[in-house]
Amino acid sequence: MGSAHESSAVIHNAETSEMAFRIIHAVVFLFAIFASKFIGDKILSGKIQNQGAIAQTPFMRYRTSIIVRLALLDGATLFGAVIFMQASLSGASDTTYYLHLLPLLILLLSAKSFYPTDFKLAELARAFNTD
């Protein structure tokens, strides 16, 4: 049978791995925010182009940049949701696990801000001198 020392070591290892996942999620989330902005701006400016497209219009670049930005944020969101679900299934009572749902809020706000309204499309057309 296991001693009290062995069981405390198992609990310590579980707490250490939980903390490691929390730190990794924070790093992935921050990377996703900065990478989505950087790559999305590169696509929008035309420095990164889709090899399959014959002629990329500004609207196609705008659409592609939004898809890439939201896809990168979606990865961090799913990772946070998995950590949150694992914590709730294991019976963790620490309320800081709700912070892992923050990427979901950022993703939803980003999707709302990227929604192509008439004003945004007219602004995009003016910026690229398209009629």
Side-chain angles (χ1 to χ4, degrees):
M1 294 280 160
S3 67
H5 178 68
E6 289 174 356
S7 62
S8 68
V10 169
I11 291 172
H12 177 70
N13 287 340
E15 290 173 355
T16 304
S17 65
E18 287 176 12
M19 184 56 72
F21 274 116
R22 296 175 94 172
I23 291 171
I24 290 169
H25 179 241
V27 170
V28 167
F29 177 51
L30 291 174
F31 174 78
I33 288 174
F34 291 116
S36 68
K37 173 79 172 133
F38 178 76
I39 295 172
D41 288 345
K42 292 283 186 185
I43 291 171
L44 196 56
S45 69
K47 294 180 181 174
I48 299 176
Q49 293 186 1
N50 185 355
Q51 299 299 327
I54 294 174
Q56 281 213 331
T57 66
F59 296 109
M60 291 173 67
R61 288 197 308 255
Y62 181 70
R63 180 197 61 205
T64 304
S65 74
I66 290 172
I67 291 171
V68 168
R69 286 179 181 187
L70 293 177
L72 286 169
L73 290 174
D74 191 40
T77 300
L78 289 174
F79 187 34
V82 168
I83 292 173
F84 179 76
M85 287 176 21
Q86 282 296 105
S88 25
L89 290 176
S90 69
S93 60
D94 188 4
T95 57
T96 60
Y97 279 105
Y98 285 103
L99 289 175
H100 292 287
L101 297 179
L102 182 64
L104 176 62
L105 178 66
I106 300 294
L107 178 70
L108 292 174
L109 291 175
S110 295
K112 184 182 182 309
S113 72
F114 292 143
Y115 189 78
T117 62
D118 291 338
F119 177 74
K120 286 183 186 177
L121 294 176
E123 185 179 295
L124 183 65
R126 277 193 304 275
F128 288 100
N129 294 326
T130 61
D131 294 322

